Amino acid sequence: MLHVWLHIDPRSSVPMYQQVVEGVKEAVARGVLNPGDKLPSVRELAMELTINHNTVAKAYQELEREHVIEVIRGRGTFIATEPDIPDLSVRVRELKEEMVRWIVEAHHLHLSDEELVELFQTVLREWREGRETL
Amino acid sequence: MLHVWLHIDPRSSVPMYQQVVEGVKEAVARGVLNPGDKLPSVRELAMELTINHNTVAKAYQELEREHVIEVIRGRGTFIATEPDIPDLSVRVRELKEEMVRWIVEAHHLHLSDEELVELFQTVLREWREGRETL
Amino acid sequence: MLHVWLHIDPRSSVPMYQQVVEGVKEAVARGVLNPGDKLPSVRELAMELTINHNTVAKAYQELEREHVIEVIRGRGTFIATEPDIPDLSVRVRELKEEMVRWIVEAHHLHLSDEELVELFQTVLREWREGRETL
Amino acid sequence: MLHVWLHIDPRSSVPMYQQVVEGVKEAVARGVLNPGDKLPSVRELAMELTINHNTVAKAYQELEREHVIEVIRGRGTFIATEPDIPDLSVRVRELKEEMVRWIVEAHHLHLSDEELVELFQTVLREWREGRETL
DNA sequence: GTGGTCTAGACCACT
DNA sequence: GTGGTCTAGACCACG
C-alpha cells in the first residue's frame, strides 16, 4: 500500500524531516489520517520515500512532541486521540506574526487589502473543498 | 540619523540578513520608506545594527533581486520606483502555499474557519492602524 | 476477581513491564498487597491487562530479583515475607541520585529549597492519606 | 580548557545525549554556568567527551527547546538569559509523580517516612553545599 | 568558524 | 517486528 498523502521534495530548502512533519499534519487536518490510525513504520516510510530512516524518525519524534502522534513501543505509531495544546497563546502569536509578513509581501506585490483578504478566503475555500473531496 | 525602522534579533532562528530584508520591506509597506528614498550604505547600516557588513550586503542583494531597492553605482541605494514585478505569479503562488501551511497549523490549534478569517481581519486592521500612526 | 490495584498505560514512554513492577511495588507499599498474598499467574494477569504474557513474565522476574515477590514452583507467586535487602546501600545511593536529578529539574522551574521540602511533605501527606483510605 | 562540569558514562542505560542535557542543566543549577556564558561548540565538546558531534547536537537542540540555552547562528551557543517556563503546572505534576515513586521505593527499602524526609533534606543540603563550594 | 541536516549502517530495548 | 540511539563522515547555510 502506498501512502499517497505524503510527497517529499529533496531539493527543497525546507528540511526533509520537516516536510514529513508538515505532510502528516496536513493529512490529519484534511481528514486523510484520523485519530487512532496507524502510521507506516519508520523504516517502511523511509523506504517508500527513499530517504534515510533517521530522517523519518526525527520527524516522528517532532510530531510526538507536538502531540500529533502517539508512539506505542514495539507496536507502532498512531495518530493521537487527544490533541493537547499547552502553549496555545504562544502559537497564536506566531500565526499573527506570519500574517503580518503576508501583508507586507502583498504590498510589494501591489495587492490591495481587499485583494489580500479575498486571496486568503479563496485559499481557505479551496483548501476546505479539497479536504471534503478526499 | 538613526534608522529606528529596523530592529534585529540575533537570537532569532530566522537569519539576520533575512530580518533586514523583511525589515526594509515592512518599512516600505508601512510608508516609512518611500520610492526614491536613499538607504544607508552597507557599512553605515552594519555599524548601526552592530552586525557584519557582509550580512547587510547579502540583504541588499536580496532586496535588489526582489526589485524593492535599486543600486546606482557611485550614488547609493534607493527604494525602487519601478512597480513591475516580473515573477508576480510565482510569488503569489508562494504566498498561497504559505497560507495553506498556516491553515494546517491553525487547524491543529482547533481554530474554526470563521475564527481564522476573523483573526486575519483583526491583524490586518491593527496593522493598518499602526501604519497610519507611524 | 479483578486486580484494580494495577493500571497500565501502553502509550506511556515508560516500558509496560516496568509499569507492572512499579504497580506491584506501590500496591505493597500501600498495604493493598501484603506478605504471603498470592499474585495472579502470569497468564491471568496478562489476560486481564490485555498485554503480552512475556511482558508480565519479565515484570515478575524483575520483582523477584528485587525480593518483592517469591516464586514457588508449582504453587504460584507470592508477596515476599523476607525483609532483607542484600543491595540496600546501592539502592539508597540510586535513590539519592534520583533526588539530585529531581532537585536540578526543580531548580529550572525556579522553585526555592523551602518550596521543594514543602512540596515533598505535601505529596507524602497526601500519599499517606490515600493509603489509609484504600 | 577542559569542561570539568560534564561527565558522560557511555555504558549507562540513560542515553548519552540526555546525560549531556542533564549535565548542562546541573551546571546551570549549580551556578557553574551562568546566563550569557558560552558553551563549547558542538564539535569541541564532542571531541572532548570522545562522542559523536551529532550526539552533542541533539543534546543542544533539546536544551534549546527547553529554553536552557540560546543558539546564535554562526556565533555559538550560550546559556539563556531569560528562562521561560510555559508549561510549569505539567512539569510540577511530573515532579510529584516522581516523588511518589520515591515513597514506594523507600517502603521497600524499609525506610520510614521520617527517614525518607530526612534523606531528602540531607541530599538537598549536600547539594546546596556542593553548589556553594564550586 | 558556527549549528543544522542527511546518509549508511550498526546495536539496543521493548512487545 | 517496533522505535531509539549512536557513529562516521558528508554537505549546507549563516556570520
Side-chain angles (χ1 to χ4, degrees):
Chain A
M1 176 219 176
L2 287 170
H3 308 100
V4 290
W5 43 267
L6 235 189
H7 297 286
I8 301 296
D9 176 10
R11 284 170 308 184
S12 163
S13 68
V14 20
M16 281 163 31
Y17 84 91
Q18 200 177 320
Q19 293 182 48
V20 174
V21 169
E22 287 171 6
V24 171
K25 285 165 92 167
E26 178 154 1
V28 172
R30 281 191 188 281
V32 178
L33 291 177
N34 295 292
D37 283 0
K38 191 177 189 308
L39 287 169
S41 82
V42 167
R43 283 157 171 85
E44 235 180 329
L45 188 53
M47 184 99 67
E48 196 168 303
L49 300 174
T50 58
I51 62 178
N52 191 276
H53 62 86
N54 283 326
T55 306
V56 178
K58 185 168 185 177
Y60 276 21
Q61 282 171 30
E62 172 65 20
L63 284 165
E64 194 188 13
R65 218 177 285 123
E66 295 190 30
H67 302 101
V68 175
I69 66 177
E70 280 172 349
V71 174
I72 305 187
R73 331 244 299 193
R75 289 247 292 276
T77 305
F78 305 83
I79 302 297
T81 50
E82 50 129 321
D84 223 38
I85 296 111
D87 48 359
L88 192 134
S89 66
V90 173
R91 295 177 69 175
V92 167
R93 185 151 46 78
E94 288 169 353
L95 287 179
K96 285 170 116 173
E97 283 167 7
E98 201 171 336
M99 286 195 292
V100 169
R101 251 170 278 145
W102 298 353
I103 295 167
V104 171
E105 181 69 6
H107 177 271
H108 285 273
L109 299 179
H110 308 304
L111 295 178
S112 69
D113 286 356
E114 290 69 32
E115 287 171 314
L116 179 57
V117 171
E118 200 179 334
L119 182 65
F120 177 56
Q121 284 174 328
T122 303
V123 171
L124 186 55
R125 193 170 52 248
E126 283 174 2
W127 190 84
R128 208 188 291 162
E129 285 162 5
R131 169 200 194 178
E132 284 157 6
T133 336
L134 285 174
Chain B
M1 175 215 177
L2 285 170
H3 308 101
V4 289
W5 43 267
L6 235 188
H7 296 286
I8 301 297
D9 177 13
R11 284 175 180 81
S12 165
S13 67
V14 16
M16 282 164 57
Y17 86 92
Q18 199 176 323
Q19 292 183 50
V20 174
V21 169
E22 286 171 6
V24 171
K25 286 169 81 171
E26 181 158 357
V28 172
R30 281 192 189 279
V32 177
L33 291 178
N34 294 291
D37 282 3
K38 191 175 188 308
L39 285 170
S41 78
V42 167
R43 292 188 134 73
E44 242 179 330
L45 188 54
M47 184 96 68
E48 193 168 308
L49 299 174
T50 57
I51 62 181
N52 195 294
H53 65 265
N54 290 324
T55 306
V56 177
K58 184 167 187 178
Y60 275 21
Q61 279 168 27
E62 173 66 17
L63 285 165
E64 196 182 11
R65 211 183 53 73
E66 292 191 33
H67 301 97
V68 174
I69 65 176
E70 282 172 349
V71 177
I72 305 183
R73 311 246 283 165
R75 294 259 305 284
T77 305
F78 304 84
I79 301 298
T81 50
E82 174 62 54
D84 283 359
I85 314 281
D87 48 2
L88 191 137
S89 67
V90 173
R91 290 173 67 179
V92 169
R93 184 152 47 77
E94 288 170 352
L95 183 55
K96 287 169 93 172
E97 283 168 7
E98 263 185 59
M99 286 177 170
V100 168
R101 242 172 297 157
W102 190 94
I103 292 167
V104 170
E105 207 56 50
H107 176 97
H108 283 272
L109 300 181
H110 307 302
L111 298 178
S112 71
D113 288 356
E114 291 69 32
E115 287 172 314
L116 298 194
V117 174
E118 199 181 335
L119 185 63
F120 181 44
Q121 283 170 334
T122 303
V123 171
L124 188 54
R125 190 170 54 250
E126 284 174 0
W127 192 83
R128 215 184 278 157
E129 285 163 7
R131 172 199 194 177
E132 284 157 5
T133 337
L134 286 174
Chain C
M1 176 218 177
L2 286 170
H3 309 100
V4 289
W5 42 268
L6 235 188
H7 296 285
I8 301 296
D9 177 13
R11 284 175 179 81
S12 165
S13 67
V14 18
M16 281 164 57
Y17 86 92
Q18 199 176 324
Q19 291 184 49
V20 175
V21 169
E22 285 172 8
V24 171
K25 286 169 81 170
E26 180 157 357
V28 172
R30 281 190 189 280
V32 177
L33 292 177
N34 294 292
D37 283 1
K38 191 175 188 306
L39 285 171
S41 78
V42 166
R43 292 188 135 73
E44 242 178 329
L45 188 54
M47 184 98 66
E48 193 168 308
L49 300 174
T50 59
I51 63 180
N52 194 294
H53 65 263
N54 289 324
T55 307
V56 178
K58 185 166 187 179
Y60 276 22
Q61 278 167 28
E62 173 66 17
L63 284 165
E64 195 181 11
R65 212 183 53 74
E66 291 191 32
H67 302 94
V68 175
I69 65 176
E70 282 172 349
V71 177
I72 305 184
R73 311 246 282 165
R75 293 260 305 283
T77 306
F78 304 84
I79 300 298
T81 51
E82 173 62 55
D84 282 1
I85 313 282
D87 48 0
L88 191 137
S89 67
V90 174
R91 290 173 67 178
V92 169
R93 185 154 45 78
E94 286 170 353
L95 182 55
K96 286 169 95 172
E97 282 168 8
E98 263 184 59
M99 286 175 170
V100 169
R101 243 172 297 158
W102 188 94
I103 291 167
V104 170
E105 207 55 50
H107 177 97
H108 282 271
L109 299 181
H110 306 301
L111 298 177
S112 71
D113 287 357
E114 290 69 32
E115 287 171 313
L116 298 194
V117 173
E118 199 182 335
L119 186 62
F120 181 44
Q121 283 170 333
T122 304
V123 171
L124 188 55
R125 190 170 54 250
E126 284 173 0
W127 191 85
R128 215 184 279 158
E129 285 163 6
R131 173 197 192 177
E132 285 158 6
T133 337
L134 284 175
Chain D
M1 178 218 176
L2 286 170
H3 308 102
V4 290
W5 42 267
L6 234 189
H7 297 285
I8 300 295
D9 175 11
R11 284 170 309 185
S12 163
S13 68
V14 19
M16 281 163 30
Y17 84 91
Q18 198 176 322
Q19 292 183 49
V20 175
V21 169
E22 286 170 7
V24 171
K25 286 165 91 167
E26 178 154 3
V28 172
R30 281 191 189 280
V32 178
L33 292 177
N34 295 292
D37 283 0
K38 191 175 187 309
L39 287 169
S41 83
V42 166
R43 283 156 171 88
E44 233 179 332
L45 188 54
M47 184 98 67
E48 196 167 304
L49 300 174
T50 58
I51 62 179
N52 191 277
H53 61 87
N54 284 326
T55 305
V56 178
K58 185 168 187 179
Y60 276 21
Q61 281 171 31
E62 173 66 19
L63 284 165
E64 195 188 14
R65 220 176 284 124
E66 295 190 31
H67 301 101
V68 175
I69 65 176
E70 279 172 351
V71 174
I72 304 186
R73 331 245 298 193
R75 289 246 293 275
T77 305
F78 304 83
I79 302 297
T81 50
E82 50 131 319
D84 223 38
I85 297 113
D87 48 359
L88 192 135
S89 66
V90 174
R91 293 177 70 175
V92 167
R93 186 151 47 77
E94 289 169 353
L95 286 180
K96 285 171 115 173
E97 283 168 7
E98 201 171 335
M99 286 195 292
V100 169
R101 248 170 281 146
W102 298 352
I103 296 168
V104 170
E105 181 69 7
H107 176 273
H108 285 272
L109 299 178
H110 309 303
L111 295 179
S112 68
D113 286 356
E114 290 69 32
E115 286 171 315
L116 179 57
V117 171
E118 201 180 335
L119 182 65
F120 177 56
Q121 285 175 328
T122 304
V123 171
L124 186 55
R125 190 169 55 247
E126 284 174 0
W127 189 84
R128 207 187 292 161
E129 285 163 5
R131 170 200 193 177
E132 283 159 5
T133 336
L134 287 174

